[in-house]
Amino acid sequence: MLTGGIPQHPVETTAGSFRELGLSQPIVEAVEKIGFEHPTPIQAAVIPTALQGQDVIGLAQTGSGKTAAFSLPIAERLTHGRGVRALILSPTREIAMQTKAFLDIFGADHNLSTACLIGAVKMKPQLAALKKTPDILVATPGRLLDHVMRRSVSLDAIEQLVLDEADHMLDLGFLPQMRDILRRLPRERQTMMFSATMPDTIEMIAKEFMREPVRVDITPQGAASGISHRLYVVKAEDKRPALLALLQQELGSTLVFTRRKMDADWLYHILQRQGHPVTRMHSDLSQGKRVQSLERFRKGSHRILVATDIAGRGIDVPGIEHVINFDIPETVEDYIHRGGRTARGAAQGIVSTIATWQDLAMVKQIETTLGEKIPRCAVGGIEPWVEMEKKPSRERRRV
Ligand code: AMP
């Protein structure tokens, strides 16, 4: 079964087998050993194409099994000891570490080694890892460029490139770094790009840096299945009591999103003072603290995690039952990504959004994307804000 840095939760699979995708016996055995019985739709679609060396654009959300979709062909096609041959660019440190955990398992039979180059941790262990001539690099863009500038790594022999969660990388402002890295890579290579959405910038990158990519789209149409959306429109001063009431109402594992780091800290302290088992995650915390928070949340010793969007992107924890948007997200994409932390794979989940009247324009945009109106709900003791078009006049109420 799965261990270590690989999260586990139910995921939709196909009826097929890994063997018929063209994978070799040792890889199929490694897959079986960790408990994957059938490929997920993205794995079934990507693996045979990737094994032939073609460029691939995979439209898929986190939680669809895309890490294995690109890791298995890489492990299959690389041979050990010929310099850094594969590069996987990840948007966040957490995603990079999960990817390394996969590659360590699947590369073991082929004697492949992977180095992880992520920011906000010491350079020295990474320099030591690079001295051992790894075959694969998993890196966040900023730290990779630091190493390139210091000449501690060479990208000259890269044959396979993966841009993982490309839309997240853009959201995080990594476009200049991505371009810089892409220009430094050999032109003769295979590129696989994964993204939950295809904004124009991603299309441009695909046009400029990929060769006749095969496009695979397994994103759910409209609302992601398994998620119930709920909206709590309240007065600004009622946001905090509404959150506390929601935490009493739904007792499962809960991820609370705030927009700003200082609000994540503020809520964390409030919840802690009230005796809630809470932990927090934002980009001002050290890598060690973030790993610790995630572990506590994952293991269930702390049922509530308060996070900002950037930190929240890397959270792949099975069994999150409830996502609460304490602040409405700034973009529809963020709403979808936040919500995607729950109901992962085949599970069910709730996304509750606490909003004030000022957020209603964003609510409308979210509803247009979801293709459904989010049910308005009320929570214990908090008077809901009545939206204008529905507010009956006093006279009419008296009649
Ligand atoms: P990912 O989208 O790569 O983050 O994977 C999401 C989750 O699905 C992780 O918990 C994986 O361990 C799990 N997973 C990936 N592929 C399979 C599979 N074929 N069968 C069962 N679980 C899988």
Side-chain angles (χ1 to χ4, degrees):
M1 290 311 280
L2 294 186
T3 49
I6 302 182
Q8 199 183 13
H9 47 68
V11 65
E12 184 198 334
T13 55
T14 61
S17 72
F18 279 97
R19 195 179 306 275
E20 68 198 25
L21 301 181
L23 295 164
S24 67
Q25 185 63 19
I27 297 265
V28 171
E29 278 169 18
V31 168
E32 284 167 356
K33 219 169 15 193
I34 62 162
F36 292 2
E37 288 173 14
H38 304 280
T40 67
I42 190 80
Q43 289 160 4
V46 166
I47 291 172
T49 313
L51 285 174
Q52 285 171 7
Q54 273 182 283
D55 282 6
V56 182
I57 296 177
L59 276 159
Q61 285 165 318
T62 325
S64 51
K66 64 185 169 45
T67 318
F70 62 74
S71 298
L72 303 190
I74 287 178
E76 193 73 78
R77 298 187 73 217
L78 284 191
T79 43
H80 169 62
R82 297 167 61 203
V84 177
R85 293 299 171 112
L87 168 66
I88 296 148
L89 280 185
S90 299
T92 67
R93 297 172 268 180
E94 287 74 20
I95 295 174
M97 281 157 63
Q98 282 167 20
T99 302
K100 177 171 169 13
F102 251 97
L103 288 162
D104 284 346
I105 291 176
F106 293 113
D109 286 299
H110 292 51
N111 199 19
L112 294 173
S113 64
T114 302
C116 194
L117 307 179
I118 52 180
V121 291
K122 289 195 184 110
M123 272 284 193
K124 227 174 157 185
Q126 294 180 3
L127 293 170
L130 287 170
K131 286 232 163 72
K132 290 186 190 151
T133 55
D135 307 293
I136 306 169
L137 294 181
V138 186
T140 49
R143 180 55 67 97
L144 177 67
L145 280 174
D146 285 350
H147 280 285
V148 171
M149 299 307 171
R150 296 169 69 133
R151 295 180 193 279
S152 46
V153 70
S154 158
L155 305 179
D156 294 345
I158 300 284
E159 291 167 1
Q160 283 171 290
L161 168 72
V162 175
L163 301 172
D164 192 14
E165 309 221 355
D167 49 351
H168 287 176
M169 279 199 272
L170 297 189
D171 290 344
L172 297 174
F174 281 137
L175 182 61
Q177 287 94 333
M178 272 166 78
R179 284 186 164 283
D180 194 350
I181 293 166
L182 280 159
R183 285 200 200 100
R184 291 167 189 271
L185 297 176
R187 292 170 75 89
E188 267 311 306
R189 59 156 201 268
Q190 177 183 34
T191 306
M192 294 186 252
M193 175 158 74
F194 293 85
S195 192
T197 53
M198 266 321 259
D200 289 348
T201 326
I202 304 258
E203 292 281 4
M204 254 167 48
I205 291 177
K207 263 211 185 96
E208 204 176 329
F209 295 103
M210 296 179 80
R211 265 195 260 170
E212 296 173 27
V214 174
R215 205 175 276 246
V216 171
D217 184 353
I218 59 118
T219 47
Q221 297 304 306
S225 56
I227 297 181
S228 329
H229 301 265
R230 298 177 186 171
L231 184 69
Y232 299 84
V233 188
V234 298
K235 290 190 222 112
E237 63 270 28
D238 282 340
K239 279 180 70 171
R240 186 174 54 142
L243 172 69
L244 296 173
L246 275 175
L247 290 172
Q248 302 290 348
Q249 185 176 294
E250 306 290 340
L251 294 177
S253 164
T254 302
L255 178 53
V256 180
F257 278 104
T258 64
R259 263 198 209 172
R260 301 183 308 171
K261 295 173 221 174
M262 56 186 287
D263 291 331
D265 281 334
W266 170 70
L267 274 184
Y268 165 78
H269 288 298
I270 289 175
L271 296 176
Q272 205 179 38
R273 270 203 303 276
Q274 297 217 344
H276 285 286
V278 60
T279 180
R280 65 184 150 161
M281 189 141 160
H282 58 68
S283 53
D284 276 357
L285 299 174
S286 68
Q287 176 67 4
K289 279 239 165 67
R290 287 166 66 167
V291 169
Q292 191 186 48
S293 292
L294 202 56
E295 261 325 285
R296 288 177 170 168
F297 186 54
R298 183 174 282 154
K299 286 196 181 123
S301 64
H302 292 60
R303 90 162 169 105
I304 304 166
L305 175 61
V306 183
T308 54
D309 285 290
I310 289 177
R313 294 230 159 84
I315 297 171
D316 182 15
V317 173
I320 298 179
E321 289 165 45
H322 197 184
V323 168
I324 302 179
N325 294 318
F326 179 76
D327 297 311
I328 199 151
E330 262 171 271
T331 63
V332 177
E333 279 76 27
D334 282 342
Y335 182 88
I336 305 286
H337 290 311
R338 287 181 181 188
R341 305 304 99 201
T342 184
R344 293 168 69 67
Q348 303 285 313
I350 301 169
V351 177
S352 297
T353 300
I354 302 173
T356 68
W357 65 271
Q358 286 170 307
D359 301 323
L360 291 175
M362 178 47 74
V363 169
K364 247 209 157 71
Q365 283 187 43
I366 293 167
E367 290 179 328
T368 307
T369 303
L370 292 179
E372 62 179 80
K373 196 167 164 74
I374 304 177
R376 272 52 176 172
C377 303
V379 63
I382 313 250
E383 192 191 343
W385 171 274
V386 183
E387 288 168 60
M388 282 311 274
E389 68 266 24
K390 284 193 192 146
K391 198 172 181 176
S393 72
R394 279 178 182 282
E395 280 70 25
R396 225 186 273 158
R397 233 188 275 160
R398 255 189 243 127
V399 174

